[in-house]
Amino acid sequence: MTEQKTGNSNGQPQLTIASAYLQAIEHFNAERYPESDQLCTAIIKAAPNHTNALNLLGVIAQRVSRHDLAVEQFTRAINIDSKKAIFYYNLGVSLNSLGYSEKAQQTLKT
Protein backbone atom coordinates (compact mmCIF):
# COMPACT_ATOMS: atom_id res chain seq x y z
CA MET A 1 0.00 0.00 0.00
CA THR A 2 1.43 3.36 -0.95
CA GLU A 3 1.22 6.42 1.22
CA GLN A 4 -1.15 9.10 -0.02
CA LYS A 5 0.60 12.24 -1.24
CA THR A 6 -0.25 15.89 -1.13
CA GLY A 7 -0.97 17.58 -4.43
CA ASN A 8 1.54 19.92 -6.01
CA SER A 9 1.13 21.57 -9.40
CA ASN A 10 4.30 23.66 -9.54
CA GLY A 11 6.75 20.90 -10.44
CA GLN A 12 8.11 20.37 -6.92
CA PRO A 13 8.25 16.81 -5.61
CA GLN A 14 5.16 15.61 -3.81
CA LEU A 15 5.29 14.86 -0.10
CA THR A 16 3.64 12.00 1.68
CA ILE A 17 0.91 13.04 4.08
CA ALA A 18 3.07 11.97 7.02
CA SER A 19 6.13 13.93 5.88
CA ALA A 20 4.01 17.00 5.05
CA TYR A 21 2.50 16.89 8.54
CA LEU A 22 5.94 16.62 10.15
CA GLN A 23 7.09 19.62 8.12
CA ALA A 24 3.95 21.52 9.15
CA ILE A 25 4.81 20.89 12.80
CA GLU A 26 8.38 22.05 12.23
CA HIS A 27 7.14 25.27 10.63
CA PHE A 28 4.64 25.78 13.45
CA ASN A 29 7.30 25.28 16.12
CA ALA A 30 9.49 27.83 14.33
CA GLU A 31 6.51 30.24 14.26
CA ARG A 32 6.31 30.09 10.47
CA TYR A 33 2.54 29.93 10.57
CA PRO A 34 1.81 30.66 6.89
CA GLU A 35 4.03 27.77 5.81
CA SER A 36 2.48 25.45 8.36
CA ASP A 37 -1.02 26.54 7.34
CA GLN A 38 -0.22 25.94 3.66
CA LEU A 39 1.00 22.39 4.34
CA CYS A 40 -2.00 21.56 6.55
CA THR A 41 -4.37 22.90 3.92
CA ALA A 42 -2.72 20.67 1.30
CA ILE A 43 -3.01 17.71 3.67
CA ILE A 44 -6.73 18.35 4.18
CA LYS A 45 -7.25 18.54 0.41
CA ALA A 46 -5.58 15.15 0.00
CA ALA A 47 -6.96 13.58 3.20
CA PRO A 48 -10.08 15.44 4.40
CA ASN A 49 -10.33 13.38 7.61
CA HIS A 50 -6.79 14.14 8.83
CA THR A 51 -7.80 15.35 12.28
CA ASN A 52 -4.29 16.25 13.39
CA ALA A 53 -3.92 18.65 10.45
CA LEU A 54 -7.34 20.15 11.24
CA ASN A 55 -6.30 20.58 14.86
CA LEU A 56 -3.02 22.22 13.85
CA LEU A 57 -4.92 24.59 11.55
CA GLY A 58 -7.06 25.52 14.54
CA VAL A 59 -4.04 26.12 16.76
CA ILE A 60 -2.45 28.27 14.05
CA ALA A 61 -5.68 30.28 13.89
CA GLN A 62 -5.53 30.71 17.68
CA ARG A 63 -1.97 32.01 17.47
CA VAL A 64 -3.00 34.72 15.04
CA SER A 65 -6.16 35.57 17.04
CA ARG A 66 -8.59 34.06 14.51
CA HIS A 67 -10.63 32.18 17.10
CA ASP A 68 -13.68 32.10 14.83
CA LEU A 69 -11.68 30.11 12.29
CA ALA A 70 -10.14 28.00 15.05
CA VAL A 71 -13.61 27.01 16.27
CA GLU A 72 -14.48 25.80 12.76
CA GLN A 73 -11.34 23.67 12.51
CA PHE A 74 -11.68 22.12 15.98
CA THR A 75 -15.36 21.40 15.36
CA ARG A 76 -14.48 19.64 12.10
CA ALA A 77 -11.88 17.55 13.90
CA ILE A 78 -14.36 16.63 16.66
CA ASN A 79 -16.99 15.66 14.09
CA ILE A 80 -14.49 13.19 12.63
CA ASP A 81 -12.99 11.92 15.91
CA SER A 82 -14.94 12.76 19.04
CA LYS A 83 -12.61 10.85 21.36
CA LYS A 84 -9.57 13.17 21.40
CA ALA A 85 -9.68 15.40 24.47
CA ILE A 86 -7.21 17.90 23.00
CA PHE A 87 -9.74 18.89 20.34
CA TYR A 88 -12.29 19.78 23.03
CA TYR A 89 -9.71 21.63 25.08
CA ASN A 90 -8.60 23.70 22.08
CA LEU A 91 -12.22 24.39 21.14
CA GLY A 92 -12.92 25.54 24.69
CA VAL A 93 -9.96 27.93 24.62
CA SER A 94 -11.19 29.55 21.42
CA LEU A 95 -14.81 29.73 22.57
CA ASN A 96 -13.67 31.42 25.75
CA SER A 97 -11.56 33.89 23.75
CA LEU A 98 -14.66 34.74 21.72
CA GLY A 99 -16.59 35.50 24.91
CA TYR A 100 -18.60 32.27 25.03
CA SER A 101 -17.39 31.29 28.48
CA GLU A 102 -20.43 29.17 29.38
CA LYS A 103 -20.23 27.24 26.12
CA ALA A 104 -16.47 26.87 26.64
CA GLN A 105 -17.05 25.39 30.09
CA GLN A 106 -19.58 22.93 28.66
CA THR A 107 -17.10 21.94 25.97
CA LEU A 108 -14.37 21.31 28.53
CA LYS A 109 -16.71 19.05 30.53
CA THR A 110 -17.32 16.86 27.48
Side-chain angles (χ1 to χ4, degrees), residues 88-89 91-93 95-96 100-110:
Y88 291 96
Y89 173 80
L91 176 59
V93 169
L95 287 170
N96 191 57
Y100 301 114
S101 58
E102 189 173 311
K103 192 170 183 179
Q105 288 175 5
Q106 291 172 345
T107 298
L108 293 174
K109 290 179 183 177
T110 303

Side-chain angles (χ1 to χ4, degrees), residues 20-31:
Y21 182 68
L22 290 175
Q23 283 187 18
I25 291 170
E26 289 175 14
H27 284 302
F28 176 81
N29 288 336
E31 298 182 7

Side-chain angles (χ1 to χ4, degrees), residues 63-93:
R63 293 287 170 96
V64 298
S65 298
R66 286 290 318 272
H67 293 282
D68 54 332
L69 180 58
V71 166
E72 290 177 30
Q73 301 301 347
F74 299 136
T75 300
R76 286 178 64 193
I78 289 168
N79 287 337
I80 296 165
D81 183 355
S82 63
K83 296 187 185 330
K84 288 192 179 176
I86 191 67
F87 300 162
Y88 291 96
Y89 173 80
N90 288 337
L91 176 59
V93 169

Side-chain angles (χ1 to χ4, degrees), residues 23-55:
Q23 283 187 18
I25 291 170
E26 289 175 14
H27 284 302
F28 176 81
N29 288 336
E31 298 182 7
R32 293 187 299 265
Y33 304 134
E35 292 87 345
S36 184
D37 185 283
Q38 184 178 27
L39 283 166
C40 286
T41 300
I43 292 167
I44 297 306
K45 284 182 183 176
N49 291 336
H50 197 289
T51 56
N52 289 330
L54 287 167
N55 184 63

Side-chain angles (χ1 to χ4, degrees), residues 4-24:
Q4 193 171 5
K5 299 188 180 213
T6 60
N8 192 335
S9 61
N10 61 4
Q12 295 179 352
Q14 290 186 330
L15 299 172
T16 64
I17 298 294
S19 63
Y21 182 68
L22 290 175
Q23 283 187 18

